[in-house]
Amino acid sequence: EKAGYEHFMMKEMCEEPKVIRDTVSPRIKDDNIVLDNIKITADDLKNIGKIYIVACGTAYHAGVVGKYIIEKLARIPVEVDVASEFRYRDPLICDRDMVIIISQSGETIDTLFALRESKKKGARVLSIVNVVGSSIARESDDVLYTWAGPEIAVASTKAYNTQLSALYLVALDFAYKLGRIEKDYYSNVIEGLKAIPGEIEKVLANRDTIQKFASQHYNAKSIFFIGRGLDYALSMEGSLKLKEISYIHSEAYAGGELKHGTIALIEEGTLVICPMTQDNLVEKMISNIKEVKARGAVVLAIAKESNKQVCKAADVVVTIPDVDSLIAPIVAVTPLQLFAYYMALQKGCDVDKPRNLAKSVTVE
Ligand code: M6R
């Protein structure tokens, strides 16, 4: 039950620190990552041609982060695709490829069929699944469970954070086995992952700024999420969350794409949400903020505490603790989930059971 919370969604966001810990800690043994009983050797990894990440909705957005980090750390080419596209496009997979399937429920029909298609073509399938014994878990070669526990709210929150955590473990493990990262770096990122639950506690404790911002802006007709690099992936998830529970139209754009069309839609009072956790891209994002503000936009930025330049550029800044940019998405998604929650609440929407949506899409 709701354990004293008004909504499952809030309860589930508040569980994020715990479930991330449950997902990460059992896989770290003597400072090394051990992915349960999944036997993937360095030789297996050297023979992989490509990795395909396939999923739907929020799980797909976790996959977009997965692509960035697996390519960055392990230097294996990764394609990420929504399952309903992948399964019908006769994908070029072969038996040297690996397919990573991501699903909270483990029952999403398009994702399940994408898995079957991959197996038919001889690929090795590793799935990142939350529900033990679900169809996707049963049919995969290897399963890495996210230990998010039952997720009741239709809008996925804690499952996403654990999907990201699992993907970071996979990316780090592959990269280290392949000799693509040094031991020190590997250990530092592991330490960073272990500290994430504490960082999310701080974000949750600090939710007043977001609540206040939502109470002032819930009448917005259309909202843009703009980010670069991992923050672009995060923007997609922030936008989906907002749409599904508050019914406000929103879109996510890569910062650099603004000038290629979207900026035409920015007018006096348009809300623009900018996650900006990537140190090497902060300056570029500040330029984007200047561009939209010059056209009258109201900007809410999500930035690291120490990033003082952002405060001068944006109208309101929600800070997150100073975490390494690589792992920042696991922390920075929580303010976006909170934003969607408070906007929906202000509008009087049914936060846990949004219209037209089912928790698990088991029919086409
Ligand atoms: O159970 P799955 O992770 O396979 O579900 C995939 C999507 O249906 C799901 O993430 C959906 O987009 C959520 N409503 C997002 O909050």
Side-chain angles (χ1 to χ4, degrees), residues 55-61 101-109 111-112 128 130-131 136 151 153-157 159-160 163 237 240-241 244-245 354 357-361:
C56 299
T58 286
Y60 166 74
H61 295 151
I101 295 279
I102 309 174
S103 176
Q104 187 283 125
S105 62
E107 301 296 345
T108 302
I109 192 83
T111 313
L112 179 61
I128 295 177
N130 195 43
V131 177
I136 290 176
E151 195 181 57
V154 167
S156 182
T157 54
Y160 174 84
Q163 285 160 352
E237 176 55 11
L240 174 66
K241 213 86 311 176
E244 63 181 337
I245 59 170
L357 296 174
K359 182 64 185 164
S360 177
V361 184

Side-chain angles (χ1 to χ4, degrees), residues 48-64:
I48 289 180
K50 211 175 203 183
I51 294 179
Y52 290 83
I53 301 182
V54 187
C56 299
T58 286
Y60 166 74
H61 295 151
V64 180

Side-chain angles (χ1 to χ4, degrees), residues 215-229:
S215 70
Q216 293 161 342
H217 296 283
Y218 66 94
N219 279 325
K221 290 280 163 285
S222 182
I223 301 185
F224 294 90
F225 287 77
I226 291 164
R228 288 175 181 251

Side-chain angles (χ1 to χ4, degrees), residues 44 53 58 103 119 140 183 195 212 215 219 259 279 310 320 340 352 360 363:
D44 294 337
I53 301 182
T58 286
S103 176
K119 289 197 75 173
S140 301
K183 176 81 185 173
K212 184 168 165 224
S215 70
N219 279 325
K259 281 198 185 70
D279 292 343
V310 178
I320 61 161
D352 285 338
S360 177
V363 288

Side-chain angles (χ1 to χ4, degrees), residues 127-171:
S127 63
I128 295 177
V129 180
N130 195 43
V131 177
V132 177
S134 55
S135 306
I136 290 176
R138 278 186 278 113
E139 294 190 29
S140 301
D141 297 304
D142 299 293
V143 185
L144 188 62
Y145 282 110
T146 49
W147 296 116
E151 195 181 57
I152 311 293
V154 167
S156 182
T157 54
K158 61 175 180 168
Y160 174 84
N161 302 65
T162 59
Q163 285 160 352
L164 291 191
S165 306
L167 285 162
Y168 280 90
L169 293 174
V170 167

Side-chain angles (χ1 to χ4, degrees), residues 167-197:
L167 285 162
Y168 280 90
L169 293 174
V170 167
L172 276 171
D173 181 58
F174 287 10
Y176 189 58
K177 280 187 180 145
L178 283 167
R180 308 249 152 95
I181 52 173
E182 302 288 337
K183 176 81 185 173
D184 278 359
Y185 181 77
Y186 172 74
S187 305
N188 281 343
V189 184
I190 291 177
E191 283 312 305
L193 285 177
K194 289 204 279 196
I196 294 267

